[in-house]
Amino acid sequence: MRHALLRLAALLVVLMLVLTGCNLIGVDPIMQLDEDLANLKKQYSGVVASYEGGEITQEDVMGTFNSQYSYMSQMYSMYGLSLTSDTLTSIEQSVVENAVENVAIKQQMDARGLKLSDEKVAELEAEVDEHYQEAYDTLYAQADGETDAVKAKQTEVNLYSMGYTRESLYGIEEASANYELIEETLRDEITEVTDDELQAAYDEKVESDEATYGASPASFESAMSSDSTIVTWMPEGYRTVKHILVKPEDDALTAVTDARNAVTAAESELEALRTELDELNDDDAEDAEAEETEEAEAPRTAEDIQADIDAAEENLASLKTAAEKAEADCLASVQDKLDEIYQKIEDGEDFEALIEAYGEDPGMQNEPTKTRGYYVSSESTTWDKNFTAGAMLLENVGDVSETPVISTSGVHIIRYESDVTPGAVALEDVKDALYDDTLEDLKDNHFTDSLASWVEALKPAYNIANFNLNLA
């Protein structure tokens, strides 16, 4: 619902009020409050928008404004921020534009003979009464007048100051209900997609998908793992794979991950040392460095760096041996299950059935990846690099990894499911899903375009500068 946040923020708005004090010496509090109310009405009388046949004052939009103001203030304060003047102006512009839209919608409803049902009106009135009474009771309890009459008048003034009256509340709820009714009516006017419209939607999506997925393999892989995303263009170099995931004990898997990380860090250190040696041997680089660091410490010699390289290579070899042992221990911990699975594969049992019986990856149990498999290429960034490498080692469709692959998720037995044809997907292959999406888009566009034309016909002029605010 367009105005849903107004309902949620309504009570919060009134709790933000700076209550009008009535401890006045020598002044009739009722008289003073009546004067306060009159001043507020004058303050809110400025015309913030005009259109052919009418105008909108600040008073007409204060309830909506303060609800949005309260909501935005809370959102900003969550991050330790305050509303800027630009944000405040944006809220003002938004509520005034919404008010003009409400006028356009009401005119269209009258022209079409549409109106809210008696049941809907009764429902809105009941909601408004409930919300208004909650706000009234809250403020009345906080009022500091000496008599019930003063407290009641003080509460009235405080509610009005935020545009919080029964009339304004009902106007907000009625406008929201009108919006929903006219939107539903306009959407129902679009019942089908023509062949030309479908072709145009397809061509546009192919172009968009190529731009998106050609630049971002991760976006493509994510889209192909989603049941709600229609993909009309496939990048180069992809295949689909399925796998049986066997999870070893956490300690065994962690040992592999830690050992591999140690190898990666040692490789980076060794690469840095080799780069340092290459730069030292580069006469130009050496000369440039000497000019820039006259008082620097004595530079490391090639012999020093080479000694470090030799030590790093020895350390790397040791770490690789440790990683190989961790991998062997990890496989050994689930070897019986792996042997059982491989034997059944050799006996010709259905791989899908084995996934169901042994697999521990939810992605292989749930659609769409249960049917599609995972889309993998050498450029993939979505999957563990060891899983990707194992998937890309398989040579032919139907091949199963001869050696289990260990990733951070566990131990995988991977099967090469299919090749993925790059380029545009045939319209026929996505026609049904694209038709439904296109129909929804046409319905949405028909309504938004119609609403824009109704507003334009009113020839609105916005006067946001006429807002006269006194926010606490």
Side-chain angles (χ1 to χ4, degrees):
M1 182 179 290
R2 182 175 59 155
H3 298 298
L5 72 86
L6 304 182
R7 293 185 175 187
L8 294 174
L11 199 54
L12 294 170
V13 169
V14 296
L15 293 177
M16 290 175 62
L17 291 172
V18 176
L19 303 180
T20 302
C22 293
N23 295 324
L24 303 174
I25 299 175
V27 177
D28 182 341
I30 296 291
M31 184 183 299
Q32 180 63 58
L33 288 165
D34 281 337
E35 183 179 336
D36 291 345
L37 186 58
N39 288 335
L40 282 171
K41 287 182 180 292
K42 182 178 180 180
Q43 178 184 338
Y44 294 168
S45 63
V47 175
V48 293
S50 57
Y51 56 90
E52 286 197 347
E55 59 187 24
I56 295 168
T57 67
Q58 182 177 338
E59 180 180 21
D60 297 327
V61 299
M62 278 304 293
T64 309
F65 171 84
N66 279 293
S67 292
Q68 290 199 19
Y69 174 79
S70 171
Y71 177 81
M72 293 297 293
S73 294
Q74 291 176 74
M75 293 300 100
Y76 273 58
S77 67
M78 288 174 60
Y79 298 97
L81 303 174
S82 299
L83 291 183
T84 65
S85 59
D86 287 343
T87 303
L88 195 61
T89 300
S90 176
I91 296 172
E92 294 169 348
Q93 185 74 37
S94 173
V95 298
V96 173
E97 289 177 354
N98 281 347
V100 174
E101 286 184 354
N102 293 339
V103 171
I105 288 171
K106 188 63 171 68
Q107 289 185 358
Q108 281 295 315
M109 290 180 63
D110 292 342
R112 294 164 179 260
L114 291 172
K115 66 176 184 177
L116 301 178
S117 68
D118 293 342
E119 293 80 4
K120 185 64 175 179
V121 170
E123 176 189 332
L124 296 182
E125 289 176 341
E127 289 182 3
V128 165
D129 286 343
E130 179 183 354
H131 293 158
Y132 181 82
Q133 196 61 50
E134 287 177 357
Y136 185 94
D137 292 345
T138 299
L139 288 185
Y140 186 88
Q142 297 179 28
D144 55 6
E146 294 183 358
T147 68
D148 290 345
V150 172
K151 289 183 178 181
K153 177 60 71 171
Q154 183 179 350
T155 300
E156 177 189 350
V157 173
N158 286 329
L159 288 171
Y160 180 84
S161 72
M162 302 302 287
Y164 212 81
T165 66
R166 276 191 170 86
E167 292 74 17
S168 68
L169 284 180
Y170 184 80
I172 290 172
E173 298 301 331
E174 180 186 45
S176 182
N178 286 345
Y179 186 99
E180 289 185 344
L181 178 57
I182 198 73
E183 180 182 30
E184 181 182 359
T185 301
L186 268 290
R187 284 175 56 84
D188 286 346
E189 291 177 356
I190 305 299
T191 59
E192 63 180 9
V193 181
T194 67
D195 290 343
D196 287 345
E197 289 170 335
L198 186 62
Q199 184 66 50
Y202 168 76
D203 292 340
E204 181 180 350
K205 181 145 180 58
V206 168
E207 182 178 354
S208 173
D209 284 355
E210 181 175 2
T212 299
Y213 302 139
S216 174
S219 294
F220 171 71
E221 291 153 15
S222 176
M224 296 311 297
S225 297
S226 168
D227 209 11
S228 59
T229 304
I230 302 169
V231 176
T232 60
W233 187 86
M234 303 283 175
E236 293 274 357
Y238 271 88
R239 62 180 57 177
T240 66
V241 300
K242 293 183 180 180
H243 72 117
I244 301 170
L245 173 64
V246 176
K247 291 186 175 182
E249 292 296 326
D250 289 344
D251 289 349
L253 193 57
T254 299
V256 173
T257 301
D258 290 346
R260 285 175 169 176
N261 288 341
V263 168
T264 300
E267 288 174 338
S268 297
E269 180 184 353
L270 180 58
E271 181 62 27
L273 288 168
R274 287 170 174 164
T275 299
E276 183 182 1
L277 182 60
D278 290 341
E279 290 176 350
L280 185 63
N281 292 331
D282 185 326
D283 291 338
D284 292 337
E286 184 178 6
D287 292 342
E289 183 180 352
E291 291 175 6
E292 294 176 6
T293 57
E294 293 180 359
E295 298 182 2
E297 296 181 4
R300 279 157 53 82
T301 65
E303 289 76 11
D304 293 334
I305 299 172
Q306 186 59 56
D308 287 345
I309 289 175
D310 293 342
E313 288 177 339
E314 184 177 348
N315 180 54
L316 178 60
S318 175
L319 290 174
K320 285 184 175 180
T321 299
E324 290 170 0
K325 181 179 186 307
E327 291 167 359
D329 290 345
C330 181
L331 291 176
S333 71
V334 289
Q335 194 62 56
D336 290 346
K337 183 178 288 188
L338 294 175
D339 289 344
E340 186 176 328
I341 295 170
Y342 272 111
Q343 184 60 55
K344 290 185 176 183
I345 292 172
E346 187 176 336
D347 292 342
E349 291 201 23
D350 179 63
F351 197 80
E352 305 278 351
L354 294 176
I355 292 175
E356 190 71 29
Y358 294 97
E360 298 180 69
D361 175 16
M364 292 289 98
Q365 312 293 333
N366 302 315
E367 296 296 354
T369 46
K370 178 179 180 179
T371 297
R372 291 178 181 172
Y374 294 141
Y375 282 67
V376 184
S377 81
S378 58
E379 302 299 317
S380 290
T381 57
T382 301
W383 323 112
D384 180 281
K385 66 179 183 179
N386 298 287
F387 178 84
T388 298
M392 298 307 294
L393 276 176
L394 300 173
E395 295 184 358
N396 303 300
V397 172
D399 284 355
V400 175
S401 48
E402 295 181 1
T403 302
V405 174
I406 305 174
S407 78
T408 53
S409 298
V411 179
H412 310 264
I413 300 174
I414 307 171
R415 185 175 71 172
Y416 186 169
E417 288 294 308
S418 70
D419 290 314
V420 177
T421 303
V425 177
L427 174 56
E428 269 315 300
D429 293 342
V430 295
K431 185 174 183 178
D432 290 344
L434 189 60
Y435 183 98
D436 292 341
D437 269 19
T438 304
L439 181 58
E440 287 302 303
D441 288 342
L442 291 174
K443 286 174 177 285
D444 288 342
N445 292 339
H446 178 54
F447 172 66
T448 55
D449 291 347
S450 296
L451 178 55
S453 69
W454 302 337
V455 170
E456 184 179 2
L458 289 175
K459 299 180 180 178
Y462 300 103
N463 306 295
I464 305 303
N466 286 346
F467 255 90
N468 186 6
L469 298 174
N470 183 23
L471 297 172

